[in-house]
Amino acid sequence: MTTSAREVAVAGDTPYTIHIGPSLLDDGALLARSVRGRDAMLVSDAHVAPLYADRVTAALQAARPDLRIHRHVLPPGEAAKTLAHFAEVTTALADARMRRDATLFALGGGVIGDLAGFAAACWMRGIDCVQLPTTLLAMVDSSVGGKTAVDLPQGKNLVGAFHPPRAVIADTGALRTLPARELRAGLAEVVKYGALGDADFLDWLDDHADALLAMGDAALAEAIARSCAHKAAIVARDPFEHGERALLNLGHTFGHAIETEQGYGGLNHGEAVAVGMVLAARLSEALGLAPAADTQRLRDLLVRLQLPVSVPAGLDPERLLAHMRLDKKAVAGGLRFIVWRGAGRAEVLSDVPESSVLSVLQEA
């Protein structure tokens, strides 16, 4: 492995390591380290596969000449994260005669990580999955923690399973081919970690905003490592989201509602989370929990990172509220939101009045 790589350990009942650094997709020894059997399936999408699938296959084959490597390529985008494409992947696993000691490599962004991870969780009641995230958003969020899922027309990530990976291998070189919009979407999730539990990290992000937008290697590596360390610590303490892990959903209840209402064809996930965090901060203000100055600070940072901070025009607040009632974070007693008492001090709040939520949406 390259000497400039960083490692973040994820503790818990199924510990694993997050590897972060350049050229890791060419490190056959590292890629093969998690393969227990003689079969592997590489799942990717039509945008990412032409860029990296041959490299990963060649690196694996060089390290493990005996390995049988199959490949399945899906359409790109959130619209592919469906039960139909999940069935497609499991059928490919069946056709390839993948056994219980097989390894599935999820090569791509959050959609591939979620969908392929869910297939790995279900095939023969669970086979090994190695996450190979190629977007910043996937590197700092969706590839870490073992949450896998697909979407339904009624809502995002409603069908899924907890399935921790055997390893996460984040090749920062892949970010060089990332469209600027996707880089910014990942930065929204990076900001989230500062907003929910580390106000000093928000200061660091503000100081390094230009370097991050310019894809500076040192700044990106630091942001990824710090974000992963934050998430790893929370996941280790609460692997199945019974308590503290819910804080990682800051901005997501609002964001998922926007994504669902737009049919997953408007704002991307990171952009929706950016808007959602601002709305969550405004809700916290409206409930008398947090000062307006912290909302403005968060909003200003997101604007500096060229992210949206307002609900897209034309979306009906009542319909957004209806989506939130079906959100996984809702509970029997009513709506549950991640709010904050100021920068770096997030908490879970249940029984949030719908009138307060609707008021925030109407003013956004």
Side-chain angles (χ1 to χ4, degrees):
M1 181 166 38
T2 176
T3 56
S4 61
R6 301 188 184 202
E7 294 184 351
V8 176
V10 183
D13 292 339
T14 53
Y16 56 94
T17 301
I18 306 164
H19 305 270
I20 305 161
S23 303
L24 297 187
L25 292 179
D26 300 307
D27 190 334
L30 176 63
L31 293 165
R33 190 183 302 171
S34 299
V35 180
R36 295 186 296 122
R38 296 181 57 187
D39 294 286
M41 172 75 76
L42 183 67
V43 177
S44 190
D45 69 37
H47 283 168
V48 175
L51 297 172
Y52 302 113
D54 286 346
R55 284 172 52 186
V56 172
T57 300
L60 275 169
Q61 209 76 75
R64 283 284 305 274
D66 63 323
L67 194 62
R68 293 191 305 165
I69 305 172
H70 299 263
R71 186 182 301 182
H72 190 77
V73 179
L74 293 163
E78 186 79 28
K81 209 171 91 172
T82 64
L83 283 170
H85 286 297
F86 163 79
E88 189 181 308
V89 175
T90 54
T91 299
L93 289 165
D95 289 343
R97 299 182 180 276
M98 290 284 150
R99 295 167 293 197
R100 296 196 73 176
D101 62 354
T103 301
L104 189 153
F105 287 88
L107 174 68
V111 169
I112 290 297
D114 278 6
L115 192 155
F118 184 37
C122 295
W123 180 248
M124 293 193 172
R125 298 191 178 93
I127 62 172
D128 292 339
C129 180
V130 176
Q131 292 282 350
L132 305 178
T134 58
T135 67
L136 180 59
L137 192 151
M139 289 180 188
V140 301
D141 188 64
S142 57
S143 69
V144 182
K147 288 172 74 173
T148 69
V150 294
D151 303 332
L152 297 180
Q154 294 89 341
K156 189 175 169 70
N157 296 332
L158 290 177
V159 182
F162 288 96
H163 189 60
R166 284 272 290 177
V168 178
I169 300 173
D171 186 337
T172 53
L175 300 178
R176 296 292 174 197
T177 59
L178 198 63
R181 183 185 180 192
E182 293 298 324
L183 177 80
R184 295 193 296 269
L187 290 174
E189 291 282 2
V190 172
V191 169
K192 178 191 74 177
Y193 293 107
L196 70 88
D198 187 352
D200 289 341
F201 189 31
L202 289 179
D203 291 334
W204 185 91
L205 291 170
D206 199 36
D207 291 340
H208 294 82
D210 293 340
L212 290 167
L213 288 172
M215 296 193 188
D217 289 328
L220 282 173
E222 179 70 11
I224 294 167
R226 288 178 70 163
S227 298
C228 287
H230 277 297
K231 183 163 188 177
I234 291 173
V235 167
R237 293 191 293 266
D238 182 19
F240 299 111
E241 199 171 309
H242 295 312
E244 182 185 6
R245 184 168 178 167
L247 298 179
L248 295 169
N249 293 314
L250 177 65
H252 285 58
T253 301
F254 285 109
H256 284 173
I258 292 169
E259 288 182 89
T260 302
E261 182 61 17
Q262 291 189 310
Y264 310 113
L267 296 185
N268 63 32
H269 178 66
E271 291 167 339
V273 167
V275 175
M277 285 191 290
V278 173
L279 295 175
R282 287 180 175 163
L283 178 62
S284 303
E285 270 185 68
L287 296 173
L289 301 175
D294 281 16
T295 301
Q296 191 63 43
R297 174 189 180 191
L298 174 64
R299 187 182 185 282
D300 289 347
L301 174 58
L302 292 169
V303 169
R304 277 202 71 193
L305 294 172
Q306 300 175 25
L307 285 158
V309 291
S310 302
V311 175
L315 297 189
D316 179 8
E318 291 280 4
R319 285 185 58 84
L320 293 175
L321 184 60
H323 289 306
M324 293 180 201
R325 294 190 187 108
L326 189 59
D327 191 277
K328 303 183 305 305
K329 293 168 284 299
V331 292
L335 295 178
R336 183 175 69 153
F337 282 85
I338 312 306
V339 296
W340 71 356
R341 294 187 182 273
R345 293 185 292 153
E347 62 183 57
V348 181
L349 186 65
S350 299
D351 299 328
V352 176
E354 289 192 0
S355 59
S356 298
V357 177
L358 194 58
S359 178
V360 167
L361 288 169
Q362 289 169 338
E363 295 170 2

